[in-house]
Amino acid sequence: MQTVSCPSCGAEVRFRSHASVLAVCEYCQSTILKDADSVRDVGKMSAVLEDYSPIQIGTAGVYDGLHFTVVGRIQQRYSAGTWNEWYVLFDDTSTGWLGDSSGLYTLTAEIADPKMLANLPAFAELLPGRQYQIDGVPYTVAEVRNAECIAGQGELPFKVGAGWRIQVADLRSYSSFITLDYTDGPQPVLYLGFAVTLESLQCQLLRDDDAIAKSAGKYRGKLEALDCPSCGSGIKYVPGAAAQLVCPACHAQLDASDQEAQVLAIGKQVHDNVDITLELGASAKINNADFTVIGMMRRADDEGSQWNEYLLFSARAGFFWLVETDDGWSRSNVLPNWPTWPSLDAERCALDGAVYTKLYDYGSQVVYAAGAFNWKVAVGDNTHVYEFEQGQTKLAAEITAEEMTWSRSVPVAFDQMSAWFGAAFHGVATGRNIKLSHKQTARIFIAIVLVLNAIPMFVSFSSTLLWSVLGCLALFLPAVFLDNNAKNPHE
C-alpha cells in the first residue's frame, strides 16, 4: 500500500493496488494521478450519485476461494439510466470489476488471451439478441451502450474524469458474462466473468440503512415525495432506489438523482382513465421482505390488447414485477442466468434442464406510465417480446435497440394478492382477475347442453345428437371468433 498526501487539501490518500494510477480524494474530490515518483492534482471529480447499492469502498468478499476488497468505483450514465463499476483488488494482487446494475451483479477480469481476442465483432455491427462465437462458446448480445463517466471514487487503474465517454457491449451465455470495451479503438478490451450475487460472494462490510441515511440523508426504502417541476403535482418515490420518474399528472420524464429533480422531457398526452389495481405506494410483506409499489406502466401489443405491470422495490430484496392481465396475476423476475436459445427464430429454449416452447412473438408499446423506475421509461417506448412456456412457468425475452433481457414469471393467485396487500388490493375493482374467455364460457354452456341431452340421446340418438352438435357449434364458433379478435398475448 502506498499513502500520499492530496496536493489540494493535504488529506491522506491510499493506493492499495500497484496497478492503480488514479485516486479520488474522499475529502475534496480532487483527482490524483500517480506518476513514477510523484502525484499531481488533475482536477475535481464529480461526487458519485447516491443510490441504493449496498456496496461501498472497503466491502470485502470471496470469489473462487480468493479474498477481494473493493477499492474504487466509477459511475456510468447511458440513455436509459446509470450503473456502477466497482474496482476490486484480490489478495494475490490481481484486479477485477464488480458490475452493479439494478441489483444484478457480475464479476469480471481482463483477458488478454489472443485466442479469445481473435475475430471479435466491430462495435457498429453489435445488436441485442445477435449471437457470436467467442472461443467456441455462443454468446448473445445483451446490451450495447454509448455511455459517459459521471463520477468516480477511490482508486482506479486508468485515468478517467467526468465526461469520459465509453463504448461497451455486454454478452451472455447462461451465467458466463463478457464485456467488450471499444473505448480505446476498434480492437476491444475483453473482460470475462460470471453473474454473481452478494450472498455467493460472502460479502462483508456492506452498507446498512443507517450508513445510507448518514451519507444520503434518506433511509433506503422510505417513501418520499417531491413536487413535479413541470406541473407542481406531488410524486411519491423511493430516493436512491429509482431516480427515473414519470409524473402521474402531466407524464413528464424526470431525473431525481441530483439534489433537485430535473425535467428530461415534457410528457406526452395520454388518456388517464387507466384501471389501476395497485396504487403507487401500496406495500406488502413478501417472503419476509417489505416491498413497495414504486412504478406502474400499461403496455399494449400489436393487436391492441393491454395489460398492467407494477414495479416493486425492497431495500433488502431488490426489484420485481407484478403483471396483471385478463387471465390474472403473475410475478416476474429478471434472470441473471440466461436460457439457451439458438436463434431468434428458434421455437424452443432451455434453462436449468427444462425445455420451454414458444408461445408468442409480438411487439409491445408503453401506453401509460407513472411513478419511479430503475431505468428511463416513456410513453411510446417499443419492445419486441418472445414468450415461452413450460407448465405454469413462462420465460420472456424482451429486445430493444440497445438492450435484451430475460425474465421468468409464475402465476400468483388472487387470494395471495389479497393476503399480500390487504385493503390496498380489495378496495378496487378486480373483476378481470376472474374473467373467463369467451371459449371458456362456451365450454361451460356446452357441458350443460350435453348433460341435459344425455338422457334423450338414449331414446332418439341420431336426431338428438344432431341438434346437440349444432347447438354446441352455435355456442363455440362465435366464442372462438371473439377470442381471436381480442387475443391477449399473455393468455
Side-chain angles (χ1 to χ4, degrees):
M1 179 186 296
Q2 181 182 4
T3 302
V4 300
S5 295
C6 172
S8 180
C9 71
E12 285 190 350
V13 178
R14 293 181 175 85
F15 287 88
R16 280 170 278 198
S17 170
H18 292 295
S20 297
V21 299
L22 180 147
V24 180
C25 176
E26 62 179 296
Y27 295 99
C28 70
Q29 298 300 312
S30 291
T31 304
I32 300 166
L33 190 65
K34 182 175 68 173
D35 288 332
D37 54 1
S38 65
V39 295
R40 56 193 172 94
D41 185 351
V42 292
K44 299 287 186 181
M45 173 73 87
S46 298
V48 294
L49 301 176
E50 267 306 326
D51 56 24
Y52 61 92
S53 177
I55 303 172
Q56 62 183 337
I57 303 295
T59 292
V62 180
Y63 179 72
D64 200 21
L66 199 59
H67 288 80
F68 67 84
T69 303
V70 174
V71 298
R73 160 164 69 157
I74 54 175
Q75 201 166 52
Q76 314 273 21
R77 185 193 296 275
Y78 68 117
S79 60
T82 61
W83 85 97
N84 295 308
E85 293 285 351
W86 300 90
Y87 185 48
V88 302
L89 173 65
F90 289 92
D91 283 355
D92 66 354
T93 73
S94 63
T95 59
W97 292 93
L98 180 57
D100 170 10
S101 178
S102 298
L104 297 177
Y105 304 95
T106 56
L107 189 58
T108 61
E110 183 179 346
I111 301 295
D113 183 354
K115 184 180 177 183
M116 294 195 70
L117 294 173
N119 302 318
L120 292 176
F123 183 76
E125 74 176 70
L126 292 166
L127 291 173
R130 183 173 290 180
Q131 286 195 354
Y132 296 91
Q133 292 282 330
I134 300 179
D135 196 22
V137 178
Y139 282 87
T140 303
V141 178
E143 294 186 57
V144 182
R145 295 175 176 174
N146 283 282
E148 67 172 328
C149 175
I150 58 172
Q153 189 180 19
E155 58 187 273
L156 298 166
F158 41 70
K159 181 181 176 181
V160 299
W164 177 63
R165 301 201 64 81
I166 64 171
Q167 288 186 318
V168 295
D170 294 334
L171 297 87
R172 291 179 176 268
S173 177
Y174 188 60
S175 64
S176 184
F177 187 92
I178 279 179
T179 293
L180 299 178
D181 187 344
Y182 295 82
T183 301
D184 295 329
Q187 178 60 41
V189 179
L190 188 150
Y191 297 87
L192 174 65
F194 294 91
V196 294
T197 63
L198 299 184
E199 291 76 15
S200 68
L201 295 176
Q202 303 173 45
C203 283
Q204 299 177 349
L205 301 179
L206 295 168
R207 293 201 301 173
D208 57 19
D209 288 346
D210 291 335
I212 291 176
K214 182 179 179 180
S215 62
K218 319 176 182 79
Y219 277 93
R220 179 175 43 162
K222 179 182 177 183
L223 208 64
E224 298 282 350
L226 60 79
D227 293 332
C228 173
S230 181
C231 72
S233 299
I235 306 173
K236 292 182 179 180
Y237 77 113
V238 182
Q244 304 296 326
L245 312 182
V246 179
C247 175
C250 69
H251 305 286
Q253 286 180 261
L254 311 175
D255 183 353
S257 59
D258 213 335
Q259 294 297 322
E260 295 184 4
Q262 308 219 350
V263 178
L264 297 175
I266 300 299
K268 293 183 179 180
Q269 293 298 316
V270 297
H271 298 291
D272 286 354
N273 56 346
V274 176
D275 185 8
I276 298 176
T277 306
L278 288 174
E279 296 293 335
L280 296 178
S283 60
K285 184 174 286 292
I286 301 172
N287 296 335
N288 295 320
D290 294 319
F291 282 90
T292 302
V293 178
I294 64 171
M296 177 268 174
M297 63 180 179
R298 188 165 181 83
R299 296 168 69 184
D301 69 3
D302 298 328
E303 298 179 348
S305 296
Q306 299 187 5
W307 64 97
N308 293 341
E309 299 185 2
Y310 302 86
L311 179 61
L312 279 75
F313 172 74
S314 164
R316 298 298 178 189
F319 298 94
F320 80 87
W321 291 90
L322 283 172
V323 181
E324 177 188 18
T325 74
D326 285 345
D327 289 330
W329 291 84
S330 60
R331 173 176 178 165
S332 179
N333 291 82
V334 176
L335 287 172
N337 297 338
W338 279 29
T340 300
W341 189 27
S343 70
L344 297 181
D345 298 326
E347 294 296 317
R348 289 178 176 79
C349 67
L351 179 66
D352 296 329
V355 176
Y356 293 77
T357 302
K358 184 177 175 181
L359 281 175
Y360 307 108
D361 169 5
Y362 57 93
S364 76
Q365 184 177 84
V366 177
V367 296
Y368 177 92
F373 300 88
N374 52 340
W375 87 102
K376 197 180 296 181
V377 175
V379 171
D381 285 353
N382 290 292
T383 305
H384 201 90
V385 184
Y386 300 82
E387 287 193 21
F388 299 82
E389 182 181 51
Q390 203 275 336
Q392 288 192 309
T393 303
K394 293 181 180 178
L395 302 182
E398 301 195 20
I399 303 177
T400 67
E402 293 183 333
E403 185 177 18
M404 175 179 180
T405 59
W406 277 96
S407 60
R408 173 165 45 203
S409 62
V410 293
V412 178
F414 177 84
D415 290 346
Q416 182 66 76
M417 291 292 299
S418 298
W420 281 346
F421 291 96
F425 184 71
H426 284 300
V428 296
T430 56
R432 71 163 163 266
N433 297 307
I434 56 175
K435 178 181 175 182
L436 297 176
S437 69
H438 297 96
K439 286 188 290 186
Q440 291 171 323
T441 304
R443 289 191 186 105
I444 293 174
F445 279 101
I446 288 171
I448 295 173
V449 169
L450 293 176
V451 169
L452 292 176
N453 285 276
I455 296 175
M457 281 184 188
F458 288 103
V459 179
S460 179
F461 181 80
S462 59
S463 60
T464 303
L465 178 62
L466 175 62
W467 287 111
S468 297
V469 170
L470 291 176
C472 292
L473 290 174
L475 286 169
F476 193 71
L477 291 179
V480 172
F481 175 78
L482 289 171
D483 280 341
N484 287 338
N485 281 346
K487 187 178 179 182
N488 186 338
H490 289 271
E491 187 172 286

